[in-house]
Amino acid sequence: MADRTVLSVSDLAATLRGLVETTLPSVWVQGEVSNFRNPAGHWYLTLKDAQAQVRCAMFRNRNLYVRPQPKDGDQVLVRGQLSFYEARGDLQLILDHLEPAGEGALLRQFEELKRKLAAEGLFDEGLKRPLPPAPRGIGVITSPTGAALQDVLTTLRRRYPLGRVYVWPVPVQGDNACPSVVRALRELPQRAPVDVVLLVRGGGSLEDLWCFNHETIARAIRACAVPVVTGIGHEVDFTIADFAADLRAPTPTSAAERVAPDLADWKAHAEDLAERLAHAMRERIEEGAAELERGVQRLERTHPGRRLQVLAQRLDELHERLRRAGPATPLRRREQLAAITMRLATAGPQQRLARLHERLALARERLHERVQLRLRTGAERVRGASAVLATLDPRAVLQRGYAIVQRTDGAVVRDAAVLQPGEELRARFAAGEAVAEVRGVMKGESGAR
């Protein structure tokens, strides 16, 4: 017993602590947070993976600037010094650094880039360009094999078959995605007559969409010669490209709907205008007829015939008075009668009546001319609206000798470069269809590649 060295538990714990802290260097560890506690500003947590766990502590003077505060289930990357906690007899890691790992790190990079570009004014609303109301050419930058492309083409074909679509295929994830998208944004408006560009991609994880969070793509969007509409992922997905775009749509289909006017709406609007025009014409004709009736009534009330009747009655009264006066003063009565007759003749009710008839006829002629002019103007406007509708009818394009060429799966062929000799095609004309075989392919400048 004399040669035994007996240590107390406290001595052993202190020895272990000194040994751990002096012999093991600072280490980096990645794992999942559990049992997180925050008493008095100090953080205590367990860092674990599928096979093991280790207790950790991060004191207030170290965690003061760590944001966001971790929670159970977070994947984190920590740096710390191993130590031995004597009171509980546990090894623990004293942390001096903590940051999100995996997706959390990506989110932090996303927020930092977003703040930087926003501070430069790259996302300012004043920079957003209005979209063309009826684009002649629509550029689409996306993966040639993704469902997003088919969704966009189907929507554009249904809503706005008058616009030509130019597809620029690019990878939408991986190392080559970012430079390919930047090149497409720069060169597509130069090589095709597009008025707007759609940058679209289907849904995916944060890592799948990460190429659209590159600073170079954001700057390429702002430098693009035409407005850019993004439709990346689903409604809950936001990327740096969305903030830089002239318009952000929640999905690829929605992006196509934002740039393509609906021809059905145009037709309904034209029909509404025609109906409103016809209604206005009917109201104006009815008002003119009522005004004419009021004029006729006023003319009847002031007709010279009424005045002539009064004068005739007065003449009859004078004749009666002359007859009653007897033969005593026939000469004077005859003179009076002649004077009255002359006054009646000079008053000329017939002449006044004739003039009033002329004025009435002129007024009727002018009213008729005004009504005819209104009718002709309305008819011309209706014919003009009908002509516009006729020019917007997709079948009119086929009537001019054009044809729609489709592959056997129904896909419309816009570029001869995608065809192979011997491939069977269908050509749809204004009347009927034909089946053809590709004998050869001649490449030329037909649109975007």
Side-chain angles (χ1 to χ4, degrees):
M1 295 293 293
D3 59 345
R4 295 179 180 178
T5 302
V6 180
L7 300 177
S8 67
V9 175
S10 299
D11 292 337
L12 177 61
T15 301
L16 289 174
R17 178 178 181 181
L19 181 64
V20 168
E21 292 182 350
T22 57
T23 60
L24 294 178
S26 178
V27 293
W28 286 90
V29 183
Q30 179 174 328
E32 179 184 339
V33 175
S34 65
N35 301 320
F36 180 83
R37 294 179 295 113
N38 184 17
H42 305 305
W43 293 354
Y44 298 96
L45 57 101
T46 300
L47 200 62
K48 66 178 184 178
D49 59 19
Q51 286 78 34
Q53 62 181 10
V54 61
R55 295 179 182 273
C56 302
M58 191 172 195
F59 299 110
R60 183 167 52 191
N61 64 328
R62 290 292 187 178
N63 67 36
L64 186 61
Y65 300 104
V66 177
R67 293 294 181 272
Q69 177 177 299
K71 61 183 183 299
D72 289 351
D74 284 354
Q75 288 288 331
V76 296
L77 180 65
V78 302
R79 183 185 63 203
Q81 176 69 51
L82 278 171
S83 179
F84 186 83
Y85 185 43
E86 298 100 323
R88 197 167 51 239
D90 289 337
L91 277 173
Q92 66 178 5
L93 195 60
I94 307 300
L95 306 181
D96 58 22
H97 179 81
L98 184 149
E99 67 182 52
E103 185 170 316
L106 293 179
L107 289 174
R108 187 180 68 176
Q109 295 178 32
F110 174 88
E111 292 298 334
E112 290 176 353
L113 180 58
K114 179 182 172 184
R115 284 193 296 270
K116 171 188 173 183
L117 298 181
E120 293 182 17
L122 201 68
F123 305 153
D124 289 352
E125 287 298 321
L127 299 178
K128 309 297 185 183
R129 294 165 290 190
L131 304 184
R136 293 170 298 176
I138 301 171
V140 181
I141 301 175
T142 189
S143 169
T145 60
L149 176 59
Q150 296 306 317
D151 292 342
V152 168
L153 295 179
T154 299
T155 301
L156 295 178
R157 187 162 49 243
R158 170 177 54 85
R159 290 175 58 90
Y160 188 57
L162 298 180
R164 297 193 63 184
V165 180
Y166 300 87
V167 179
W168 189 295
V170 295
V172 291
Q173 66 184 76
D175 295 338
N176 295 327
C178 182
S180 298
V181 171
V182 170
R183 178 171 176 262
L185 288 167
R186 181 180 65 252
E187 296 187 8
L188 178 54
Q190 299 174 359
R191 302 179 61 179
V194 296
D195 302 314
V196 65
V197 167
L198 299 180
L199 178 59
V200 296
R201 186 207 192 280
S205 65
L206 179 63
E207 289 83 359
D208 293 336
L209 304 179
W210 190 248
C211 73
F212 296 99
N213 290 319
H214 278 263
E215 179 178 353
T216 54
I217 288 184
R219 297 191 184 280
I221 288 174
R222 295 308 330 148
C224 187
V226 296
V228 177
V229 178
T230 55
I232 300 170
H234 301 298
E235 189 167 358
V236 298
D237 297 321
F238 279 86
T239 67
I240 295 298
D242 291 321
F243 292 105
D246 296 284
L247 178 67
R248 181 256 177 186
T251 63
T253 299
S254 177
E257 291 174 347
R258 299 295 179 88
V259 303
D262 195 339
L263 289 184
D265 293 341
W266 282 11
K267 181 179 179 181
H269 181 61
E271 291 174 350
D272 179 63
L273 289 177
E275 177 60 28
R276 289 166 58 187
L277 175 61
H279 179 71
M281 291 173 60
R282 288 194 297 268
E283 286 188 344
R284 189 67 188 94
I285 291 173
E286 291 172 359
E287 291 175 358
E291 184 178 353
L292 177 60
E293 180 64 23
R294 290 192 294 270
V296 170
Q297 292 176 0
R298 287 197 300 269
L299 286 174
E300 289 178 350
R301 288 194 299 268
T302 59
H303 199 282
R306 296 283 183 90
R307 178 64 176 168
L308 186 60
Q309 291 173 356
V310 173
L311 293 176
Q313 184 178 359
R314 178 63 176 164
L315 180 60
D316 291 340
E317 291 176 355
L318 291 175
H319 274 290
E320 181 61 24
R321 288 172 62 187
L322 181 61
R323 186 185 63 80
R324 288 197 303 267
T329 57
L331 180 59
R332 185 169 60 85
R333 296 299 185 186
R334 283 196 296 272
E335 292 175 353
Q336 290 178 348
L337 179 59
I340 292 172
T341 302
M342 184 176 294
R343 288 173 58 191
L344 287 173
T346 56
Q350 292 83 357
Q351 297 178 358
R352 185 180 179 190
L353 181 60
R355 290 194 298 270
L356 291 175
H357 274 294
E358 291 177 358
R359 292 176 59 187
L360 176 60
L362 181 60
R364 286 178 175 173
E365 182 179 353
R366 289 178 177 174
L367 179 59
H368 178 74
E369 290 177 352
R370 290 179 61 186
V371 171
Q372 292 299 318
L373 178 59
R374 288 296 181 110
L375 289 174
R376 287 194 300 273
T377 303
E380 290 176 359
R381 293 179 63 183
V382 171
R383 285 194 296 272
S386 299
V388 172
L389 285 177
T391 58
L392 295 178
D393 190 349
R395 293 172 296 181
V397 178
L398 298 181
Q399 292 292 344
R400 293 200 298 270
Y402 291 93
I404 299 176
V405 180
Q406 297 175 300
R407 283 179 160 172
T408 55
D409 61 357
V412 176
V413 179
R414 295 178 174 81
D415 189 345
V418 302
L419 300 177
Q420 298 295 329
E423 183 176 353
E424 185 177 285
L425 301 177
R426 291 172 54 198
R428 180 179 176 184
F429 304 91
E433 297 182 353
V435 177
E437 179 180 332
V438 177
R439 300 292 299 274
V441 177
M442 293 174 286
K443 300 180 180 179
E445 296 182 358
S446 59
R449 293 184 296 119

Short mmCIF file of all heavy atoms in Angstrom, two decimals, residues 273-325:
data_model
loop_
_atom_site.label_atom_id
_atom_site.label_comp_id
_atom_site.label_asym_id
_atom_site.label_seq_id
_atom_site.Cartn_x
_atom_site.Cartn_y
_atom_site.Cartn_z
N LEU A 273 -66.25 46.05 -78.36
CA LEU A 273 -66.20 47.36 -79.00
C LEU A 273 -67.25 47.48 -80.09
O LEU A 273 -67.91 48.53 -80.24
CB LEU A 273 -64.80 47.60 -79.59
CG LEU A 273 -63.67 47.84 -78.60
CD1 LEU A 273 -62.34 48.00 -79.35
CD2 LEU A 273 -63.93 49.09 -77.77
N ALA A 274 -67.42 46.41 -80.89
CA ALA A 274 -68.42 46.45 -81.95
C ALA A 274 -69.82 46.60 -81.38
O ALA A 274 -70.65 47.37 -81.91
CB ALA A 274 -68.32 45.18 -82.80
N GLU A 275 -70.11 45.88 -80.30
CA GLU A 275 -71.43 45.99 -79.68
C GLU A 275 -71.66 47.38 -79.10
O GLU A 275 -72.75 47.96 -79.25
CB GLU A 275 -71.55 44.93 -78.58
CG GLU A 275 -72.86 44.98 -77.81
CD GLU A 275 -74.09 44.76 -78.69
OE1 GLU A 275 -73.94 44.07 -79.74
OE2 GLU A 275 -75.16 45.27 -78.34
N ARG A 276 -70.62 47.93 -78.46
CA ARG A 276 -70.77 49.28 -77.90
C ARG A 276 -70.97 50.30 -79.02
O ARG A 276 -71.75 51.25 -78.87
CB ARG A 276 -69.53 49.62 -77.08
CG ARG A 276 -69.45 48.85 -75.78
CD ARG A 276 -68.09 48.93 -75.14
NE ARG A 276 -67.70 50.31 -74.86
CZ ARG A 276 -66.50 50.67 -74.43
NH1 ARG A 276 -65.58 49.74 -74.24
NH2 ARG A 276 -66.22 51.93 -74.20
N LEU A 277 -70.27 50.12 -80.15
CA LEU A 277 -70.44 51.03 -81.28
C LEU A 277 -71.85 50.94 -81.83
O LEU A 277 -72.48 51.98 -82.11
CB LEU A 277 -69.41 50.69 -82.37
CG LEU A 277 -69.51 51.49 -83.68
CD1 LEU A 277 -69.32 52.97 -83.41
CD2 LEU A 277 -68.49 50.98 -84.68
N ALA A 278 -72.35 49.72 -82.01
CA ALA A 278 -73.71 49.57 -82.53
C ALA A 278 -74.73 50.18 -81.59
O ALA A 278 -75.69 50.84 -82.02
CB ALA A 278 -74.00 48.08 -82.76
N HIS A 279 -74.52 49.99 -80.28
CA HIS A 279 -75.45 50.57 -79.30
C HIS A 279 -75.42 52.10 -79.37
O HIS A 279 -76.47 52.75 -79.32
CB HIS A 279 -75.06 50.09 -77.91
CG HIS A 279 -75.93 50.64 -76.82
ND1 HIS A 279 -77.23 50.26 -76.64
CD2 HIS A 279 -75.66 51.56 -75.84
CE1 HIS A 279 -77.74 50.91 -75.61
NE2 HIS A 279 -76.81 51.70 -75.11
N ALA A 280 -74.21 52.66 -79.48
CA ALA A 280 -74.09 54.13 -79.56
C ALA A 280 -74.77 54.66 -80.83
O ALA A 280 -75.42 55.72 -80.81
CB ALA A 280 -72.62 54.54 -79.53
N MET A 281 -74.63 53.93 -81.94
CA MET A 281 -75.27 54.35 -83.19
C MET A 281 -76.79 54.31 -83.06
O MET A 281 -77.49 55.23 -83.50
CB MET A 281 -74.81 53.45 -84.34
CG MET A 281 -73.34 53.63 -84.72
SD MET A 281 -72.80 52.41 -85.94
CE MET A 281 -73.94 52.77 -87.27
N ARG A 282 -77.31 53.23 -82.43
CA ARG A 282 -78.76 53.15 -82.25
C ARG A 282 -79.27 54.29 -81.38
O ARG A 282 -80.31 54.91 -81.69
CB ARG A 282 -79.12 51.81 -81.63
CG ARG A 282 -78.98 50.62 -82.57
CD ARG A 282 -79.67 49.39 -81.99
NE ARG A 282 -79.03 48.97 -80.75
CZ ARG A 282 -78.05 48.09 -80.67
NH1 ARG A 282 -77.55 47.56 -81.79
NH2 ARG A 282 -77.55 47.74 -79.51
N GLU A 283 -78.54 54.59 -80.32
CA GLU A 283 -78.96 55.68 -79.45
C GLU A 283 -78.95 57.02 -80.19
O GLU A 283 -79.86 57.84 -80.04
CB GLU A 283 -78.05 55.76 -78.22
CG GLU A 283 -78.29 54.67 -77.20
CD GLU A 283 -77.50 54.91 -75.93
OE1 GLU A 283 -76.55 55.74 -75.97
OE2 GLU A 283 -77.82 54.29 -74.91
N ARG A 284 -77.89 57.24 -81.00
CA ARG A 284 -77.81 58.51 -81.73
C ARG A 284 -78.93 58.64 -82.76
O ARG A 284 -79.49 59.72 -82.94
CB ARG A 284 -76.44 58.62 -82.43
CG ARG A 284 -76.18 60.00 -83.01
CD ARG A 284 -76.05 61.03 -81.90
NE ARG A 284 -76.00 62.39 -82.41
CZ ARG A 284 -77.03 63.20 -82.53
NH1 ARG A 284 -78.25 62.78 -82.18
NH2 ARG A 284 -76.88 64.43 -82.97
N ILE A 285 -79.25 57.53 -83.44
CA ILE A 285 -80.35 57.58 -84.42
C ILE A 285 -81.67 57.87 -83.71
O ILE A 285 -82.49 58.67 -84.19
CB ILE A 285 -80.41 56.25 -85.19
CG1 ILE A 285 -79.17 56.13 -86.10
CG2 ILE A 285 -81.68 56.15 -86.02
CD1 ILE A 285 -79.05 54.78 -86.77
N GLU A 286 -81.87 57.22 -82.56
CA GLU A 286 -83.11 57.47 -81.82
C GLU A 286 -83.18 58.92 -81.35
O GLU A 286 -84.25 59.55 -81.39
CB GLU A 286 -83.19 56.51 -80.63
CG GLU A 286 -83.40 55.05 -81.04
CD GLU A 286 -83.29 54.10 -79.86
OE1 GLU A 286 -83.02 54.61 -78.75
OE2 GLU A 286 -83.46 52.89 -80.05
N GLU A 287 -82.04 59.45 -80.88
CA GLU A 287 -82.04 60.87 -80.46
C GLU A 287 -82.33 61.78 -81.65
O GLU A 287 -83.08 62.77 -81.53
CB GLU A 287 -80.67 61.21 -79.86
CG GLU A 287 -80.41 60.54 -78.53
CD GLU A 287 -79.01 60.81 -78.02
OE1 GLU A 287 -78.25 61.52 -78.76
OE2 GLU A 287 -78.65 60.34 -76.93
N GLY A 288 -81.75 61.48 -82.83
CA GLY A 288 -82.02 62.30 -84.02
C GLY A 288 -83.48 62.25 -84.42
O GLY A 288 -84.08 63.27 -84.80
N ALA A 289 -84.09 61.04 -84.34
CA ALA A 289 -85.50 60.93 -84.70
C ALA A 289 -86.37 61.72 -83.73
O ALA A 289 -87.33 62.39 -84.14
CB ALA A 289 -85.91 59.45 -84.71
N ALA A 290 -86.05 61.65 -82.42
CA ALA A 290 -86.83 62.42 -81.45
C ALA A 290 -86.68 63.91 -81.67
O ALA A 290 -87.64 64.69 -81.57
CB ALA A 290 -86.39 62.04 -80.03
N GLU A 291 -85.44 64.34 -82.00
CA GLU A 291 -85.21 65.76 -82.27
C GLU A 291 -85.99 66.21 -83.51
O GLU A 291 -86.56 67.31 -83.55
CB GLU A 291 -83.71 66.00 -82.46
CG GLU A 291 -83.35 67.46 -82.66
CD GLU A 291 -81.85 67.67 -82.80
OE1 GLU A 291 -81.10 66.69 -82.62
OE2 GLU A 291 -81.45 68.81 -83.10
N LEU A 292 -86.03 65.36 -84.53
CA LEU A 292 -86.79 65.69 -85.74
C LEU A 292 -88.28 65.82 -85.41
O LEU A 292 -88.96 66.74 -85.89
CB LEU A 292 -86.57 64.60 -86.79
CG LEU A 292 -87.35 64.76 -88.10
CD1 LEU A 292 -86.99 66.06 -88.80
CD2 LEU A 292 -87.11 63.56 -89.01
N GLU A 293 -88.80 64.91 -84.60
CA GLU A 293 -90.22 64.98 -84.24
C GLU A 293 -90.54 66.26 -83.48
O GLU A 293 -91.57 66.91 -83.71
CB GLU A 293 -90.57 63.76 -83.38
CG GLU A 293 -92.02 63.69 -82.93
CD GLU A 293 -92.99 63.56 -84.08
OE1 GLU A 293 -92.58 63.10 -85.16
OE2 GLU A 293 -94.17 63.96 -83.91
N ARG A 294 -89.63 66.63 -82.55
CA ARG A 294 -89.87 67.89 -81.82
C ARG A 294 -89.84 69.08 -82.78
O ARG A 294 -90.62 70.03 -82.65
CB ARG A 294 -88.81 68.06 -80.73
CG ARG A 294 -88.97 67.08 -79.59
CD ARG A 294 -88.09 67.47 -78.41
NE ARG A 294 -86.67 67.36 -78.74
CZ ARG A 294 -85.95 66.28 -78.56
NH1 ARG A 294 -86.51 65.19 -78.04
NH2 ARG A 294 -84.67 66.25 -78.87
N GLY A 295 -88.94 69.07 -83.78
CA GLY A 295 -88.89 70.16 -84.75
C GLY A 295 -90.16 70.25 -85.57
O GLY A 295 -90.68 71.34 -85.85
N VAL A 296 -90.69 69.07 -85.96
CA VAL A 296 -91.94 69.07 -86.72
C VAL A 296 -93.08 69.65 -85.90
O VAL A 296 -93.90 70.44 -86.39
CB VAL A 296 -92.26 67.64 -87.18
CG1 VAL A 296 -93.68 67.55 -87.76
CG2 VAL A 296 -91.25 67.17 -88.21
N GLN A 297 -93.11 69.26 -84.63
CA GLN A 297 -94.17 69.80 -83.76
C GLN A 297 -94.05 71.31 -83.60
O GLN A 297 -95.05 72.04 -83.61
CB GLN A 297 -94.11 69.10 -82.41
CG GLN A 297 -94.50 67.62 -82.47
CD GLN A 297 -94.34 66.95 -81.12
OE1 GLN A 297 -93.95 67.59 -80.13
NE2 GLN A 297 -94.65 65.65 -81.08
N ARG A 298 -92.81 71.81 -83.46
CA ARG A 298 -92.64 73.26 -83.35
C ARG A 298 -93.07 73.96 -84.64
O ARG A 298 -93.70 75.02 -84.62
CB ARG A 298 -91.18 73.59 -83.04
CG ARG A 298 -90.77 73.27 -81.62
CD ARG A 298 -89.47 73.98 -81.25
NE ARG A 298 -88.39 73.58 -82.13
CZ ARG A 298 -87.56 72.56 -81.88
NH1 ARG A 298 -87.74 71.84 -80.78
NH2 ARG A 298 -86.59 72.27 -82.72
N LEU A 299 -92.74 73.37 -85.78
CA LEU A 299 -93.15 73.96 -87.06
C LEU A 299 -94.66 73.98 -87.20
O LEU A 299 -95.25 74.94 -87.72
CB LEU A 299 -92.51 73.18 -88.22
CG LEU A 299 -91.02 73.41 -88.44
CD1 LEU A 299 -90.50 72.47 -89.52
CD2 LEU A 299 -90.72 74.85 -88.82
N GLU A 300 -95.29 72.89 -86.74
CA GLU A 300 -96.75 72.87 -86.84
C GLU A 300 -97.39 73.94 -85.98
O GLU A 300 -98.39 74.55 -86.35
CB GLU A 300 -97.26 71.48 -86.44
CG GLU A 300 -96.96 70.40 -87.45
CD GLU A 300 -97.43 69.05 -86.99
OE1 GLU A 300 -97.83 68.95 -85.80
OE2 GLU A 300 -97.40 68.10 -87.79
N ARG A 301 -96.78 74.17 -84.79
CA ARG A 301 -97.35 75.20 -83.92
C ARG A 301 -97.17 76.59 -84.49
O ARG A 301 -97.96 77.49 -84.23
CB ARG A 301 -96.71 75.12 -82.52
CG ARG A 301 -97.15 73.91 -81.72
CD ARG A 301 -96.77 74.06 -80.27
NE ARG A 301 -95.33 74.17 -80.09
CZ ARG A 301 -94.55 73.13 -79.88
NH1 ARG A 301 -95.07 71.90 -79.83
NH2 ARG A 301 -93.26 73.30 -79.71
N THR A 302 -96.08 76.83 -85.25
CA THR A 302 -95.83 78.17 -85.82
C THR A 302 -96.10 78.20 -87.33
O THR A 302 -95.59 79.06 -88.03
CB THR A 302 -94.36 78.55 -85.55
OG1 THR A 302 -93.50 77.57 -86.15
CG2 THR A 302 -94.08 78.64 -84.06
N HIS A 303 -96.88 77.26 -87.84
CA HIS A 303 -97.13 77.16 -89.28
C HIS A 303 -97.85 78.41 -89.78
O HIS A 303 -98.81 78.89 -89.15
CB HIS A 303 -97.98 75.92 -89.58
CG HIS A 303 -97.90 75.49 -91.01
ND1 HIS A 303 -98.59 76.14 -92.00
CD2 HIS A 303 -97.22 74.49 -91.61
CE1 HIS A 303 -98.36 75.56 -93.16
NE2 HIS A 303 -97.52 74.54 -92.95
N PRO A 304 -97.44 78.99 -90.93
CA PRO A 304 -98.12 80.20 -91.48
C PRO A 304 -99.60 79.96 -91.77
O PRO A 304 -100.39 80.91 -91.81
CB PRO A 304 -97.34 80.48 -92.76
CG PRO A 304 -96.02 79.81 -92.56
CD PRO A 304 -96.27 78.63 -91.71
N GLY A 305 -99.97 78.69 -91.95
CA GLY A 305 -101.39 78.43 -92.20
C GLY A 305 -102.26 78.87 -91.05
O GLY A 305 -103.41 79.31 -91.26
N ARG A 306 -101.72 78.74 -89.82
CA ARG A 306 -102.49 79.21 -88.68
C ARG A 306 -102.72 80.72 -88.79
O ARG A 306 -103.84 81.22 -88.56
CB ARG A 306 -101.71 78.90 -87.39
CG ARG A 306 -101.51 77.43 -87.11
CD ARG A 306 -102.79 76.80 -86.58
NE ARG A 306 -102.58 75.40 -86.24
CZ ARG A 306 -102.19 75.00 -85.02
NH1 ARG A 306 -101.97 75.88 -84.08
NH2 ARG A 306 -102.03 73.71 -84.79
N ARG A 307 -101.66 81.43 -89.11
CA ARG A 307 -101.78 82.90 -89.26
C ARG A 307 -102.74 83.25 -90.40
O ARG A 307 -103.55 84.19 -90.31
CB ARG A 307 -100.40 83.49 -89.55
CG ARG A 307 -100.37 84.97 -89.77
CD ARG A 307 -100.80 85.74 -88.54
NE ARG A 307 -100.68 87.17 -88.73
CZ ARG A 307 -101.19 88.08 -87.91
NH1 ARG A 307 -101.86 87.70 -86.82
NH2 ARG A 307 -101.03 89.37 -88.16
N LEU A 308 -102.69 82.47 -91.46
CA LEU A 308 -103.58 82.72 -92.60
C LEU A 308 -105.04 82.49 -92.22
O LEU A 308 -105.94 83.24 -92.65
CB LEU A 308 -103.18 81.80 -93.76
CG LEU A 308 -103.89 82.01 -95.09
CD1 LEU A 308 -103.65 83.43 -95.59
CD2 LEU A 308 -103.43 80.99 -96.11
N GLN A 309 -105.27 81.46 -91.38
CA GLN A 309 -106.64 81.23 -90.93
C GLN A 309 -107.17 82.41 -90.12
O GLN A 309 -108.35 82.82 -90.27
CB GLN A 309 -106.69 79.94 -90.11
CG GLN A 309 -106.47 78.69 -90.92
CD GLN A 309 -106.36 77.45 -90.04
OE1 GLN A 309 -106.39 77.57 -88.81
NE2 GLN A 309 -106.24 76.29 -90.67
N VAL A 310 -106.30 82.96 -89.26
CA VAL A 310 -106.72 84.12 -88.44
C VAL A 310 -107.05 85.31 -89.33
O VAL A 310 -108.07 86.01 -89.15
CB VAL A 310 -105.62 84.47 -87.42
CG1 VAL A 310 -105.96 85.76 -86.70
CG2 VAL A 310 -105.44 83.33 -86.43
N LEU A 311 -106.17 85.53 -90.34
CA LEU A 311 -106.42 86.68 -91.25
C LEU A 311 -107.68 86.46 -92.09
O LEU A 311 -108.45 87.42 -92.35
CB LEU A 311 -105.20 86.87 -92.16
CG LEU A 311 -103.92 87.33 -91.45
CD1 LEU A 311 -102.77 87.39 -92.45
CD2 LEU A 311 -104.11 88.69 -90.78
N ALA A 312 -107.91 85.22 -92.51
CA ALA A 312 -109.13 84.95 -93.28
C ALA A 312 -110.37 85.20 -92.44
O ALA A 312 -111.38 85.75 -92.92
CB ALA A 312 -109.10 83.51 -93.80
N GLN A 313 -110.29 84.77 -91.17
CA GLN A 313 -111.42 85.02 -90.29
C GLN A 313 -111.63 86.52 -90.09
O GLN A 313 -112.77 87.00 -90.07
CB GLN A 313 -111.18 84.33 -88.95
CG GLN A 313 -112.35 84.45 -87.98
CD GLN A 313 -112.08 83.71 -86.69
OE1 GLN A 313 -111.05 83.10 -86.51
NE2 GLN A 313 -113.05 83.76 -85.79
N ARG A 314 -110.55 87.24 -89.96
CA ARG A 314 -110.67 88.70 -89.82
C ARG A 314 -111.28 89.32 -91.07
O ARG A 314 -112.10 90.26 -90.98
CB ARG A 314 -109.27 89.29 -89.58
CG ARG A 314 -109.22 90.79 -89.47
CD ARG A 314 -110.02 91.29 -88.29
NE ARG A 314 -109.89 92.73 -88.14
CZ ARG A 314 -110.69 93.49 -87.40
NH1 ARG A 314 -111.71 92.91 -86.74
NH2 ARG A 314 -110.48 94.78 -87.28
N LEU A 315 -110.89 88.81 -92.25
CA LEU A 315 -111.47 89.31 -93.50
C LEU A 315 -112.97 89.05 -93.55
O LEU A 315 -113.76 89.93 -93.98
CB LEU A 315 -110.75 88.65 -94.69
CG LEU A 315 -111.24 89.07 -96.08
CD1 LEU A 315 -111.05 90.58 -96.29
CD2 LEU A 315 -110.46 88.29 -97.15
N ASP A 316 -113.37 87.86 -93.11
CA ASP A 316 -114.81 87.56 -93.09
C ASP A 316 -115.55 88.51 -92.16
O ASP A 316 -116.68 88.98 -92.47
CB ASP A 316 -115.02 86.11 -92.63
CG ASP A 316 -114.54 85.12 -93.67
OD1 ASP A 316 -114.40 85.50 -94.83
OD2 ASP A 316 -114.27 83.95 -93.29
N GLU A 317 -114.94 88.82 -91.04
CA GLU A 317 -115.59 89.76 -90.12
C GLU A 317 -115.72 91.15 -90.75
O GLU A 317 -116.75 91.84 -90.60
CB GLU A 317 -114.78 89.85 -88.83
CG GLU A 317 -114.82 88.57 -88.00
CD GLU A 317 -113.92 88.66 -86.78
OE1 GLU A 317 -113.20 89.69 -86.65
OE2 GLU A 317 -113.91 87.72 -85.96
N LEU A 318 -114.67 91.55 -91.46
CA LEU A 318 -114.74 92.87 -92.11
C LEU A 318 -115.82 92.90 -93.20
O LEU A 318 -116.54 93.90 -93.37
CB LEU A 318 -113.37 93.22 -92.70
CG LEU A 318 -112.26 93.50 -91.66
CD1 LEU A 318 -110.93 93.71 -92.37
CD2 LEU A 318 -112.62 94.72 -90.81
N HIS A 319 -115.91 91.83 -93.96
CA HIS A 319 -116.98 91.75 -94.97
C HIS A 319 -118.35 91.86 -94.31
O HIS A 319 -119.27 92.53 -94.83
CB HIS A 319 -116.87 90.43 -95.75
CG HIS A 319 -115.93 90.50 -96.92
ND1 HIS A 319 -116.22 91.22 -98.05
CD2 HIS A 319 -114.72 89.93 -97.13
CE1 HIS A 319 -115.22 91.10 -98.93
NE2 HIS A 319 -114.28 90.32 -98.38
N GLU A 320 -118.49 91.18 -93.19
CA GLU A 320 -119.79 91.22 -92.50
C GLU A 320 -120.09 92.62 -92.00
O GLU A 320 -121.23 93.12 -92.11
CB GLU A 320 -119.76 90.22 -91.35
CG GLU A 320 -121.07 90.14 -90.56
CD GLU A 320 -122.24 89.70 -91.43
OE1 GLU A 320 -121.99 89.03 -92.47
OE2 GLU A 320 -123.39 90.01 -91.09
N ARG A 321 -119.10 93.29 -91.49
CA ARG A 321 -119.30 94.65 -91.00
C ARG A 321 -119.63 95.58 -92.16
O ARG A 321 -120.47 96.50 -92.04
CB ARG A 321 -118.04 95.15 -90.28
CG ARG A 321 -117.83 94.47 -88.92
CD ARG A 321 -116.48 94.84 -88.33
NE ARG A 321 -116.41 96.28 -88.10
CZ ARG A 321 -115.29 96.92 -87.70
NH1 ARG A 321 -114.17 96.22 -87.51
NH2 ARG A 321 -115.32 98.23 -87.51
N LEU A 322 -118.96 95.38 -93.29
CA LEU A 322 -119.25 96.20 -94.47
C LEU A 322 -120.67 95.97 -94.96
O LEU A 322 -121.37 96.92 -95.37
CB LEU A 322 -118.23 95.86 -95.58
CG LEU A 322 -118.37 96.65 -96.88
CD1 LEU A 322 -118.19 98.15 -96.63
CD2 LEU A 322 -117.35 96.17 -97.89
N ARG A 323 -121.08 94.70 -94.93
CA ARG A 323 -122.45 94.43 -95.36
C ARG A 323 -123.46 95.10 -94.45
O ARG A 323 -124.47 95.67 -94.89
CB ARG A 323 -122.68 92.91 -95.39
CG ARG A 323 -124.03 92.50 -95.96
CD ARG A 323 -124.19 91.00 -95.83
NE ARG A 323 -124.20 90.61 -94.43
CZ ARG A 323 -125.26 90.71 -93.61
NH1 ARG A 323 -126.39 91.23 -94.05
NH2 ARG A 323 -125.17 90.32 -92.36
N ARG A 324 -123.19 95.11 -93.15
CA ARG A 324 -124.12 95.73 -92.22
C ARG A 324 -124.09 97.24 -92.30
O ARG A 324 -125.07 97.92 -91.95
CB ARG A 324 -123.78 95.29 -90.79
CG ARG A 324 -124.14 93.82 -90.52
CD ARG A 324 -124.17 93.59 -89.02
NE ARG A 324 -122.91 93.93 -88.38
CZ ARG A 324 -121.94 93.06 -88.15
NH1 ARG A 324 -122.08 91.80 -88.55
NH2 ARG A 324 -120.82 93.45 -87.57
N ALA A 325 -122.98 97.79 -92.73
CA ALA A 325 -122.90 99.25 -92.83
C ALA A 325 -123.86 99.80 -93.90
O ALA A 325 -124.22 100.97 -93.86
CB ALA A 325 -121.47 99.68 -93.16
#
